[in-house]
Amino acid sequence: MNDKISTFAFKHLLKDDNTRLIHGVLKSLGISPARNDYHDLYQEGCLLYVEAYESFFAVHSPEDLELFGPYAFRRIKWRLLDHVRKEARHQKHCKPLITISNDETTENDIYPDSLANNFEGEILASAFFQELWDKCSLQEQAYLANRVAGVSITKMAKMLGVSRQAIYKWRDGVIRKAKRIVAR
């Protein structure tokens, strides 16, 4: 990436309110400003704008500036859509191992302080995970640590130099041990 072109691309983005293009892309994807990750996606869109600018003007001349808007819109839209889908796929695989709930009373009845609401659950979860960690083998601990860090199974297999099937076996061992702890 050429720093001079990147600097010019950022200036072009901020000039003449070209940031509206990013907001338009987000709107066309159905992403509203009320969404938690709106600002993150907006920043990602700004970076994609710079990439689009660099790739467009590597092939086209500056006289083709009127063609850049539609090109940038399409490119940013598809790249952001890929990003959102990737995040959704990642979130689909990140499920909690256990859920602690109390059906008889609500947490607000027990703890009037909002900070205390999560305290009991955090202690129980912490104790659970400590016991699970202690019962796991080194490979299963590696699996747990990487999953908590958000590493995918494929990436974990590459990092640890083992097959994905080995990672799945470690995961199954962790799940079996977690079920035994919960059953007690």
Side-chain angles (χ1 to χ4, degrees):
M1 180 179 346
N2 187 344
D3 289 336
K4 189 174 185 178
I5 294 173
S6 298
T7 304
F8 192 74
F10 274 114
K11 287 180 182 177
H12 186 264
L13 173 65
L14 299 174
K15 181 180 82 172
D16 298 331
D17 202 26
N18 287 325
T19 57
R20 290 184 330 171
L21 180 92
I22 311 297
H23 292 291
V25 168
L26 291 170
K27 183 176 181 180
S28 75
L29 291 172
I31 299 170
S32 84
R35 189 169 156 164
N36 287 339
D37 61 348
Y38 183 84
H39 294 292
D40 295 333
L41 291 171
Y42 173 78
Q43 291 299 320
E44 190 71 30
C46 290
L47 294 173
L48 292 171
Y49 182 93
V50 172
E51 286 179 18
Y53 190 91
E54 290 172 346
S55 66
F56 183 82
F57 287 108
V59 177
H60 295 83
S61 66
E63 291 82 33
D64 296 331
L65 186 61
E66 69 275 354
L67 300 175
F68 175 68
Y71 169 80
F73 187 91
R74 267 192 328 274
R75 182 171 174 136
I76 295 167
K77 180 177 179 177
W78 287 109
R79 296 284 299 273
L80 279 177
L81 184 59
D82 289 343
H83 181 78
V84 169
R85 285 180 178 163
K86 181 180 175 185
E87 287 296 318
R89 262 193 330 265
H90 176 72
Q91 290 300 320
K92 184 174 78 174
H93 297 295
C94 295
K95 296 179 183 172
L97 290 175
I98 62 167
T99 303
I100 301 170
S101 66
N102 186 352
D103 293 336
E104 294 106 26
T105 59
T106 64
E107 288 180 337
N108 289 333
D109 294 338
I110 300 169
Y111 303 112
D113 181 11
S114 62
L115 295 176
N117 285 346
N118 294 332
F119 184 69
E120 182 181 19
E122 287 177 15
I123 288 178
L124 289 173
S126 175
F128 170 79
F129 285 111
Q130 184 60 50
E131 185 176 350
L132 180 62
W133 184 267
D134 292 339
K135 291 188 183 290
C136 288
S137 67
L138 289 176
Q139 291 87 4
E140 292 167 341
Q141 288 176 353
Y143 168 79
L144 275 175
N146 283 303
R147 284 308 287 169
V148 167
V151 177
S152 71
I153 289 181
T154 304
K155 191 179 243 184
M156 196 183 315
K158 286 180 184 175
M159 283 180 6
L160 299 172
V162 296
S163 67
R164 285 190 359 256
Q165 288 79 14
I167 302 291
Y168 285 119
K169 285 181 183 178
W170 298 348
R171 180 197 65 186
D172 293 342
V174 169
I175 291 171
R176 267 193 318 278
K177 290 173 183 174
K179 285 181 180 178
R180 276 190 232 133
I181 292 170
V182 171
R184 285 190 286 130

